[in-house]
Amino acid sequence: MSIIYLTSTGGAPGVSTLATALTMNWPRPALLLEADVSKTSHILGGYLRGQYEHTMGLTEVAVANQHGLLDVEKLFSQTIDLGPSRYAIPGFNDLGGARGTSVAFWANLLNSINRLPGAALAPDLDVFVDAGRFWVGDTRTPLMAQADSVIVVTGNTLPDIATVQASSPAFAEALETTGHRDFIGLAITTTPIKGQSYSAHEISNATGLPLLGVLPWDPASAAHYSHGAAAPSRRSPYHRALDDLIRHLDEALAERRYVPTGQE
């Protein structure tokens, strides 16, 4: 099992869209965990186009945690089936409760996540965490620090670069505690604003973070994952870039994968 944690440092660079796209195209069973505490579920109203009421998700998980009843069975009971070996756990339906989550809650949630492959009957299950925006003192740090890959999603303009630069020391401090400092990388979403963008090489050098992939400006293809629009061609620029990112990420995870006890 691998935990892949997606976050951003500002703006709206497409964290939720990329997390959904990775979940739906990953070469192994995958689960999307919506851990963004700044909004309610993105996948319910976006990719799933309102097919489900927001009755399951992290709010129920948090209530169980308050009563000491959070375990892997409770966590998996909050999943929505997205297709063969594809799952999602929607985010909070109460933003007040989301903002009030503690470090202890996310640490307890991590313990249950580590047991998910057995509950899901998918030993090779990988978990994609849509964490939305990162901030200094983020209570979700225990989950991020234990991730096998942290993907910082950013745009390619100067304001985007500046916010990543400002947050880099906090990322380094959080990941240093678990020896995962080298597990972080950039996924860059491009912009059509002429004369205002920078190359992937320039952004990587300026932020000190290695490059994982570059997603081109292709709103029609991305809309499938963000708004449930028609599926794009596998030969679209977005999908070709997504496939490259998946290949690069999968190779990086090969030596980091966590094997739950009894499944070696």
Side-chain angles (χ1 to χ4, degrees):
M1 184 183 83
S2 293
I3 298 174
I4 302 95
Y5 191 97
L6 293 92
T7 188
S8 70
T9 57
V15 174
S16 297
T17 299
L18 180 56
T20 303
L22 288 171
T23 300
M24 299 309 298
N25 292 278
W26 196 241
R28 288 180 294 281
L31 179 142
L32 173 62
L33 174 68
E34 291 194 306
D36 191 340
V37 296
S38 67
K39 63 183 181 183
T40 56
S41 174
H42 178 271
I43 196 169
L44 290 179
Y47 181 76
L48 293 174
R49 302 178 65 183
Q51 297 176 56
Y52 296 87
E53 292 186 16
H54 199 165
T55 57
M56 297 192 299
L58 286 189
T59 295
E60 292 299 313
V61 173
V63 170
N65 183 67
Q66 289 177 341
H67 293 88
L69 300 175
L70 175 55
D71 56 21
V72 64
E73 287 76 19
K74 179 61 179 181
L75 181 61
F76 192 66
S77 73
Q78 299 305 304
T79 57
I80 290 174
D81 192 345
L82 300 178
S85 299
R86 296 289 182 270
Y87 312 95
I89 297 178
F92 293 91
N93 57 30
D94 172 20
L95 290 183
R99 282 294 191 180
T101 54
S102 65
V103 170
F105 166 73
W106 294 105
N108 291 341
L109 180 63
L110 175 64
N111 290 333
S112 295
I113 289 173
N114 285 335
R115 295 175 174 82
L116 266 174
L121 300 178
D124 54 349
L125 179 75
D126 291 328
V127 179
F128 290 92
V129 180
D130 173 6
R133 188 177 299 186
F134 169 82
W135 67 90
V136 177
D138 197 322
T139 58
R140 298 164 299 177
T141 296
L143 181 53
M144 181 180 73
Q146 289 293 340
D148 302 284
S149 178
V150 175
I151 303 177
V152 179
V153 185
T154 183
N156 62 341
T157 66
L158 188 56
D160 299 314
I161 298 169
T163 59
V164 176
Q165 284 180 317
S167 299
S168 290
F171 281 126
E173 181 180 354
L175 298 177
E176 193 72 59
T177 61
T178 54
H180 289 188
R181 186 168 182 174
D182 295 334
F183 290 9
I184 190 170
L186 288 173
I188 300 172
T189 58
T190 59
T191 175
I193 304 176
K194 294 182 179 180
Q196 299 296 319
S197 61
Y198 292 78
S199 71
H201 179 72
E202 289 174 318
I203 297 170
S204 180
N205 283 343
T207 60
L209 298 178
L211 179 67
L212 291 173
V214 179
L215 297 165
W217 179 255
D218 185 4
S221 296
H224 174 61
Y225 302 105
S226 62
H227 292 82
S233 167
R234 297 298 305 185
R235 295 188 297 274
S236 70
Y238 185 89
H239 251 294
R240 290 200 301 269
L242 181 65
D243 288 342
D244 288 342
L245 173 58
I246 287 173
R247 184 163 48 252
H248 188 175
L249 182 58
D250 197 24
E251 290 173 358
L253 290 169
E255 297 181 358
R256 308 174 190 167
R257 295 179 64 79
Y258 167 74
V259 180
T261 303
Q263 296 177 4
E264 293 86 348

